Amino acid sequence: LFSSPLPLTMSDKPPPTRMNQQVFKGKKKAAVGGFKLLKKKADALKAKFRDYAKAIAATKGTMADDTATAFFSLTQAEYAAGDFKKAVLEGNMVAKVRVTSAVDNVAGVKLPVFNMQDTGAVNENQSLGLVGGGKKIAASRTKFETVLKNLIKLASLQTSFVTLDEAMKVTNRRVNALENVTIPRIEGILDYISRELDELEREDFTRLKKVQASKEERLKEEQRLKEEETREAMEKGIKPKVMSVNEDIMSKFESLDGDEVLF
Amino acid sequence: MSDGKLVAIIGDSDTVTGFLLAGCGHRTAENTNFLVVEPDTPATKVEECFTSLTSRTDIGIILINQHVANTIRHVLSRYNEVVPTVLEIPSKDHPYDPEKDYIMQRVNMYLGGGQD
């Protein structure tokens, strides 16, 4: 098994086996698949981000005008009703307006959303200006209610914008990591394994060739020795027999002289 | 009993009055969700109020006049929680200046710069 005394580093290469080749082919497939999916997500997020940016730009523009109008109406009310600010600021109050925060899922990212909520509470300041200027105060109130509604919408857009921004950064980082680090590394390993397997095959082939060659050599040598024995036997006037080098030559001749030989 | 969060206001008297008229104001024995900032209000008081508002769990949005926000810019720029959300709004005497709005900077950079 592949083991090292030191912790594995990026430069440690896996053993170049056919099994590992399959393993890493699988890893590459997974990485490329994941990369494609993340890229799609990044593109979707970017499109949404663009929408939010546009919406914010538009809303902030109108908000500036609406607020200016609201402040102007407040001043008008002061002219008409005198200093009612004090009365508004003091006295008990229960919020008539609240915001509920919900979570919206956009392109796989959870975005915060604010919704305006009417609690139904009634405040003292709502019965102001009974003596003159009441209409102007009511008009001012209406203007501020509109501004408030738009501000709550803007708050939603803004938080979504910021959250999307963060999500985009994270996704892009992962996409880049896959593209520039993970996949090239896996491809590098696959190349290495492929090269090593080729090399092993070549070595095997070479070894095979060498074994074959030495076998041939041996056969040739055997043949040569056989021919020499045959020649020697003929020179000595003894009928040559086909024999192998391993046989005992003398034992053959002994049996020829013995009584057991049958003709 | 409602479960929504409050809208808090830190601003000049006109701004606070306006939003109180619209129904934002909430005062209990423990705390209030607004602060009127006069020209002579020290920045430390504003900072204190902001910090306490952001640490409360019952506040969803904090509205703050831009000119007041500028006095505690160092605190705001470090703040990046989602809830409560901080929205900078203009005042009667200080109209909206998109240059000073961080979010608008991002938006314009994105739309205007034509990023890929």
Side-chain angles (χ1 to χ4, degrees):
Chain A
L1 258 181
F2 178 63
S3 67
S4 62
L6 298 167
L8 280 175
T9 63
M10 286 288 273
S11 58
D12 283 339
K13 294 195 164 84
T17 63
R18 289 215 185 274
M19 187 168 93
N20 265 348
Q21 192 176 46
Q22 286 307 105
V23 165
F24 279 92
K25 271 191 183 156
K27 285 195 187 193
K28 176 170 173 181
K29 195 161 174 217
V32 170
F35 168 75
K36 287 202 177 112
L37 277 175
L38 269 182
K39 202 124 200 351
K40 270 199 202 143
K41 178 170 177 173
D43 289 341
L45 287 180
K46 211 191 320 178
K48 281 284 161 197
F49 190 72
R50 191 173 195 87
D51 291 343
Y52 277 100
K54 281 200 197 135
I56 289 179
T59 312
K60 287 230 168 172
T62 53
M63 190 266 288
D65 291 337
D66 290 345
T67 339
T69 318
F71 283 124
F72 184 60
S73 74
L74 192 67
T75 316
Q76 281 185 309
E78 275 179 305
Y79 279 146
D83 186 13
F84 64 92
K85 279 200 272 192
K86 208 155 171 272
V88 172
L89 290 169
E90 288 160 23
N92 84 332
M93 53 186 92
V94 176
K96 183 171 180 288
V97 173
R98 280 181 182 256
V99 284
T100 51
S101 55
V103 173
D104 208 13
N105 194 319
V106 169
V109 180
K110 293 198 169 26
L111 297 178
V113 166
F114 288 112
N115 288 308
M116 193 153 124
Q117 185 188 57
D118 188 336
T119 63
V122 177
N123 287 315
E124 285 176 5
N125 74 50
Q126 305 199 254
S127 49
L128 275 175
L130 294 171
V131 186
K135 265 214 205 102
K136 285 272 181 331
I137 296 180
S140 185
R141 169 179 292 121
T142 315
K143 291 243 154 36
F144 272 99
E145 278 169 355
T146 311
V147 171
L148 181 63
K149 195 163 65 173
N150 287 329
L151 282 177
I152 292 174
K153 196 164 66 176
L154 190 62
S156 273
L157 289 177
Q158 199 162 291
T159 48
S160 298
F161 184 76
V162 169
T163 311
L164 261 182
D165 192 20
E166 208 38 58
M168 253 170 57
K169 285 203 188 104
V170 167
T171 311
N172 282 330
R173 235 179 278 144
R174 290 170 67 191
V175 167
N176 289 334
L178 276 174
E179 190 176 11
N180 299 320
V181 178
T182 316
I183 292 177
R185 180 175 165 262
I186 295 176
E187 283 174 341
I189 290 176
L190 279 172
D191 281 344
Y192 159 72
I193 293 178
S194 170
R195 282 199 313 270
E196 289 294 307
L197 287 174
D198 279 349
E199 184 62 37
L200 287 170
E201 215 179 288
R202 255 180 277 137
E203 283 174 10
D204 254 0
F205 186 67
T206 313
R207 202 178 308 128
L208 209 69
K209 276 264 169 250
K210 272 209 139 90
V211 165
Q212 279 180 350
S214 70
K215 226 181 174 177
E216 272 179 39
E217 276 285 321
R218 208 155 38 90
L219 281 171
K220 274 203 194 119
E221 184 67 22
E222 280 178 24
Q223 191 65 21
R224 195 182 61 76
L225 280 168
K226 248 188 270 171
E227 284 168 4
E228 233 183 78
E229 283 164 25
T230 312
R231 229 182 321 114
E232 282 178 16
M234 286 183 54
E235 281 171 6
K236 288 188 182 155
I238 300 165
K239 193 175 174 190
K241 278 227 171 197
V242 176
M243 63 188 85
S244 77
V245 229
N246 291 330
E247 263 190 298
D248 185 1
I249 306 169
M250 293 315 295
S251 66
K252 278 278 164 156
F253 285 102
E254 279 167 20
S255 65
L256 272 171
D257 288 333
D259 296 318
E260 293 117 280
V261 175
L262 299 163
F263 283 100
Chain B
M1 199 59 230
S2 56
D3 59 343
K5 296 188 195 265
L6 296 166
V7 177
I9 315 110
I10 305 179
D12 59 20
S13 59
D14 276 12
T15 308
V16 175
T17 309
F19 285 104
L20 256 43
L21 274 181
C24 291
H26 194 79
R27 175 160 42 215
T28 62
E30 291 95 44
N31 48 40
T32 4
N33 70 339
F34 60 90
L35 173 71
V36 177
V37 176
E38 305 287 354
D40 58 356
T41 310
T44 46
K45 182 139 194 263
V46 179
E47 192 177 321
E48 211 178 277
C49 176
F50 179 79
T51 311
S52 93
L53 285 175
T54 51
S55 58
R56 281 167 65 170
T57 53
D58 60 344
I59 304 226
I61 300 177
I62 300 179
L63 302 175
I64 180 167
N65 280 139
Q66 216 171 21
H67 71 279
V68 174
N70 287 334
T71 64
I72 57 165
R73 189 54 66 194
H74 54 287
V75 180
L76 281 184
S77 54
R78 264 185 287 132
Y79 180 77
N80 52 11
E81 305 286 315
V82 174
V83 173
T85 308
V86 175
L87 262 186
E88 293 184 33
I89 55 180
S91 64
K92 189 172 78 173
D93 304 319
H94 300 87
Y96 181 62
D97 183 4
E99 305 271 307
K100 299 246 171 57
D101 189 341
Y102 167 74
I103 300 287
M104 276 314 282
Q105 293 300 309
R106 257 327 249 124
V107 168
N108 283 328
M109 191 172 74
Y110 187 76
L111 291 177
Q115 283 181 14
D116 55 334

